Amino acid sequence: MALATSTSSYDLKNAVSSNRLRGLWRMMTGFRLKYLGATLSLALAATSKTVTYLLLRHYVDDVLGQGESAGTLLLIALGFVGLALFEGTFTFLSGRLAAQTAEGVVLRLRNYLFDHIQRLSFTYHDHSQTGELVQRSTSDVDALRRFFADQAIGVGRIVLLFAINLTVLLNLNWKLALFSVIVVPLIVLISVFFFKRVSKAYESYQEQEATLSSTLQENLSGVRVVKAFARQAYERDRFETDNWEKFQRGRQLLMMHSLYWPVTDILCGLQMLAGFFVGALMAINGTITVGTYMAYTGMVIWIIWPMRNLGRLIVQMSTGMVSYGRVTEIIEEEREPLTAGTYSPNGDLRGELVFQDVCFEYDSSSPVLKEISFRCEPGQALALLGSTGSGKTSLVNLLPRFYEYTGGSLTLDGVELSAYPREYLRQQIGIVEQEPFLFSRTIRENITYGVGRDVSQAEIEAAARAAAIHDVIATFPDGYDTLVGEKGVTLSGGQKQRVVIARTLLSDPRILILDDATSSVDAGTEGAIRAALEGLMQGRTTFIIAHRIQSVMIADLILVLDKGQIVQKGTHQELLAQPGIYREIYDLQTRIDIELEREVASVAL
Ligand code: TTP
Ligand code: MG
């Protein structure tokens, strides 16, 4: 890949500026030479156009009717052809360079955004809508591409055409030249007036588009729920309302554009007519030559029409500016530092954890964990039990530093957790998340996802066996190369969970966290996984979150959480011996089990 597009070598944070034009200029780092080349080519093309008119003037005034020779005529004809070729070549070159600049800049920008969004914090992603992020990384980036490809270069072209032609005209006849541009300040004023309004209208249009793509994205993810509740009509109405709003805003935006055109067209047209008329009078009076008049009529078009286009470009640039703002809002967000840490650990973790009055809350709302204190020796298994919403997931999410605890002290192998680099923790801690997620790739790719090395088929199978999923995979025609997800087979909830367990086991973490990892698995399979895990838990600190007593009773220490607090702590035997939630759950679950057995027995009879 070309160096200029590689994201690792370039930090787009530099391109964040309150001055949007400056920011856009900075975004072009590495491509500015190309852009200047494009502008220079334009200048050459514009100059040759003007020279063509001067040649025409020379022909009319000095050659025509002066007993011209065939040689002179040929020379002049060649001159016209040469100039046309010259202009064409440089117009082409300029377009090409501009396209390279624009595509190059946004290629890099897209890569950067993708990488950047992945590195933002969990908190950021909790609060941002996927659809909105997608829209900013596509539609807004595309608006920036248009800015670099058409608008930035277009402005250069217009300024050059204007400057060159006006300078020459001023030299030919300054009075006529000045008369021809009296309308220009007015056009600029009108453009600025529209620029402000179009910016606003476009911003609100893009916002609505983001809302719409969020709605679309959410409804696609939740299409099963929509169907299950037969809420298609309701969702359609909601979408239609949002879409109607977008239509309204789009119409308003177009209205602005369509108002701008006739106003400036009339102004420009009148200006040109007046210029032609006055010029003709001057030519008749002999103030200017006929050749000058002809050159003037050619050149004045290249002053007036570009000015009209300048207005259009200024108006269109406002869209680029708005998109710039929307994209840099993401770029401005701080990345989660992955490798930074005041402590640089050596080798693997032992896995000794000490919680001392640890408190935690998500964005300073109500506390989620309150003064959690316990200790866990290396290699121990620790279980968390508690009603839903009691804070179990939140507690284990602190360990890989997905979130930062807000009070107390949490040490890992004797060092405060906040001193560890996140990347190291995430390599050492394996977490089977409560909601399993698989990529739309093969099962093999999903299982080997977290391992940064080549793994043998035997290793993959061993992990899959331990997670009690090997036999299921073996039934697929493509085995481990079966595609899962949208383009392949759909796995059941329990099967997904087991693939995710295999993935985590394969990464061989020092601390293993199973967050309700077997919630979608039947009791028999859970037993098989548990038996396999017991062997694998040896030598690593393990956190088990589960709702079944059978899953947690093997732990060396069981914590019972309620509303973010530890209400009971001890081994299975200790907790059974005391009154409390644990014994209640135990009694309830055994009673259900006994009744179930009785039912099964009676059916069997
Ligand atoms: P959890 O820690 O998710 O509760 P839990 O894991 O014990 O529950 P379950 O058995 O259902 O998995 O949530 C504790 C509280 O924190 C709960 O009130 C929701 C809140 N919370 C957030 O505000 N943001 C989050 O990202 C999460 C995960 C939880
Ligand atoms: Mg949970």
Side-chain angles (χ1 to χ4, degrees):
M1 194 194 296
L3 193 69
T5 61
S6 145
T7 42
S8 51
S9 63
Y10 186 63
D11 185 6
L12 269 178
K13 216 158 216 139
N14 294 329
V16 177
S17 167
S18 56
N19 181 337
R20 295 187 171 191
L21 275 179
R22 187 188 303 150
L24 285 160
W25 175 246
R26 289 195 188 146
M27 218 173 242
M28 281 167 66
T29 306
F31 291 93
R32 288 180 190 151
L33 262 180
K34 278 210 164 102
Y35 177 71
L36 290 182
T39 318
L40 196 72
S41 307
L42 269 183
L44 289 172
T47 311
S48 71
K49 193 186 280 306
T50 309
V51 173
T52 311
Y53 293 118
L54 290 178
L55 187 62
L56 176 74
R57 172 173 176 262
H58 169 69
Y59 170 68
V60 173
D61 284 352
D62 306 335
V63 183
L64 211 62
Q66 312 277 319
E68 61 270 22
S69 71
T72 329
L73 273 184
L74 187 70
L75 222 60
I76 285 181
L78 278 179
F80 278 123
V81 173
L83 281 167
L85 277 177
F86 187 84
E87 190 194 336
T89 309
F90 280 98
T91 306
F92 168 75
L93 201 64
S94 143
R96 200 185 136 97
L97 287 172
Q100 281 176 355
T101 306
E103 295 299 337
V105 169
V106 300
L107 171 72
R108 179 172 66 191
L109 177 62
R110 258 187 242 114
N111 280 342
Y112 184 88
L113 273 178
F114 178 81
D115 186 49
H116 183 70
I117 289 173
Q118 300 198 88
R119 291 171 190 273
L120 296 175
S121 67
F122 280 74
T123 312
Y124 178 83
H125 285 288
D126 288 346
H127 293 294
S128 53
Q129 289 182 299
T130 314
E132 167 116 26
L133 286 179
V134 169
Q135 195 250 358
R136 289 189 189 209
S137 323
T138 51
S139 163
D140 281 315
V141 168
D142 201 54
L144 285 177
R145 186 188 59 75
R146 286 198 302 273
F147 176 85
F148 289 118
D150 307 331
Q151 295 146 19
I153 209 78
V155 169
R157 176 178 149 84
I158 285 164
V159 170
L160 281 170
L161 281 171
F162 184 82
I164 293 171
N165 286 303
L166 187 64
T167 314
V168 174
L169 274 187
L170 281 170
N171 276 317
L172 288 182
N173 187 297
W174 67 269
K175 281 184 197 151
L176 186 57
L178 285 185
F179 178 75
S180 311
V181 292
I182 40 177
V183 80
V184 168
L186 197 60
I187 293 184
V188 172
L189 275 181
I190 293 176
S191 302
V192 171
F193 174 84
F194 274 94
F195 174 79
K196 292 207 175 115
R197 273 157 191 77
V198 167
S199 295
K200 252 203 193 128
Y202 179 72
E203 183 138 27
S204 105
Y205 179 78
Q206 284 295 83
E207 273 165 18
Q208 189 57 22
E209 186 175 308
T211 309
L212 206 64
S213 53
S214 293
T215 310
L216 186 65
Q217 185 266 336
E218 193 170 82
N219 272 281
L220 287 180
S221 318
V223 69
R224 283 163 192 282
V225 183
V226 176
K227 282 174 173 295
F229 284 87
R231 295 290 276 173
Q232 285 95 336
Y234 171 77
E235 293 297 334
R236 182 200 58 213
D237 290 348
R238 265 185 45 152
F239 185 83
E240 281 179 0
T241 314
D242 282 349
N243 198 11
W244 176 250
E245 182 62 33
K246 185 181 168 190
F247 167 79
Q248 299 270 39
R249 294 185 189 185
R251 203 173 55 173
Q252 213 164 4
L253 192 61
L254 277 179
M255 280 269 288
M256 301 271 176
H257 281 289
S258 51
L259 257 178
Y260 175 80
W261 286 118
V263 172
T264 46
D265 276 1
I266 290 172
L267 280 175
C268 290
L270 286 177
Q271 168 75 73
M272 264 195 305
L273 276 181
F276 289 165
F277 184 68
V278 171
L281 283 184
M282 287 170 106
I284 291 166
N285 290 343
T287 320
I288 56 174
T289 62
V290 175
T292 304
Y293 179 66
M294 286 184 76
Y296 167 79
T297 52
M299 277 189 259
V300 77
I301 293 177
W302 294 105
I303 294 181
I304 303 293
W305 285 120
M307 278 321 283
R308 168 184 179 271
N309 274 335
L310 180 67
R312 176 181 64 98
L313 277 177
I314 289 181
V315 170
Q316 281 181 352
M317 272 168 94
S318 65
T319 62
M321 304 277 187
V322 169
S323 288
Y324 167 82
R326 292 169 56 81
V327 167
T328 48
E329 259 174 37
I330 302 179
I331 298 180
E332 260 175 320
E333 286 295 329
E334 281 303 325
R335 292 180 180 197
E336 182 186 52
L338 265 183
T339 48
T342 49
Y343 171 63
S344 29
N346 256 324
D348 284 339
L349 285 176
R350 282 185 300 119
E352 180 205 51
L353 275 162
V354 182
F355 278 66
Q356 187 64 51
D357 297 329
V358 171
C359 299
F360 174 66
E361 58 206 37
Y362 293 96
D363 11 84
S364 47
S365 51
S366 54
V368 170
L369 295 174
K370 293 171 230 163
E371 300 183 352
I372 302 285
S373 300
F374 66 89
R375 88 179 271 130
C376 178
E377 302 301 333
Q380 273 194 334
L382 189 129
L384 291 172
L385 193 79
S387 55
T388 152
S390 55
K392 304 180 295 292
T393 301
S394 306
L395 193 154
V396 294
N397 276 349
L398 298 180
L399 297 178
R401 290 187 69 189
F402 291 165
Y403 299 90
E404 302 295 314
Y405 47 101
T406 45
S409 141
L410 201 182
T411 59
L412 177 56
D413 291 353
V415 178
E416 195 67 29
L417 191 74
S418 51
Y420 280 90
R422 287 179 178 79
E423 193 176 53
Y424 174 80
L425 289 175
R426 290 169 196 180
Q427 280 159 358
Q428 296 278 313
I429 301 174
I431 181 161
V432 177
E433 302 243 16
Q434 193 165 11
E435 282 146 28
F437 178 82
L438 296 180
F439 292 97
S440 302
R441 305 176 190 171
T442 63
I443 294 184
R444 182 193 312 284
E445 281 173 288
N446 271 294
I447 294 184
T448 56
Y449 187 73
V451 203
R453 61 185 170 90
D454 282 337
V455 271
S456 67
Q457 178 66 17
E459 279 178 280
I460 298 175
E461 279 181 24
R465 281 212 171 83
I469 189 70
H470 174 75
D471 293 339
V472 179
I473 298 173
T475 63
F476 298 142
D478 293 332
Y480 283 86
D481 294 316
T482 307
L483 274 174
V484 288
E486 279 141 20
K487 281 189 241 144
V489 299
T490 307
L491 298 180
S492 75
Q495 288 167 341
K496 268 193 220 158
Q497 274 190 332
R498 284 179 278 159
V499 172
V500 172
I501 293 176
R503 165 167 85 198
T504 309
L505 291 180
L506 193 63
S507 67
D508 192 25
R510 299 331 297 159
I511 297 180
L512 177 64
I513 300 170
L514 305 163
D515 188 353
D516 232 357
T518 47
S519 59
S520 310
V521 170
D522 62 280
T525 315
E526 193 195 358
I529 297 177
R530 204 185 310 134
L533 281 181
E534 264 177 63
L536 288 163
M537 275 155 48
Q538 300 301 323
R540 52 184 121 218
T541 306
T542 314
F543 276 73
I544 303 164
I545 300 178
H547 286 109
R548 292 196 191 109
I549 292 284
Q550 276 169 331
S551 307
V552 300
M553 59 191 283
I554 48 160
D556 300 298
L557 178 67
I558 300 168
L559 304 178
V560 183
L561 278 179
D562 188 37
K563 298 191 188 76
Q565 274 172 313
I566 296 180
V567 287
Q568 281 184 295
K569 183 157 54 170
T571 62
H572 176 67
Q573 295 306 334
E574 286 165 4
L575 291 178
L576 273 191
Q578 51 181 256
I581 300 182
Y582 191 82
R583 203 162 75 188
E584 285 168 26
I585 300 175
Y586 178 80
D587 289 343
L588 193 71
Q589 290 190 357
T590 31
R591 209 165 45 233
I592 292 173
D593 285 347
I594 291 168
E595 268 171 31
L596 262 177
E597 268 168 38
R598 219 179 271 149
E599 295 254 333
V600 172
S602 66
V603 170
L605 284 173

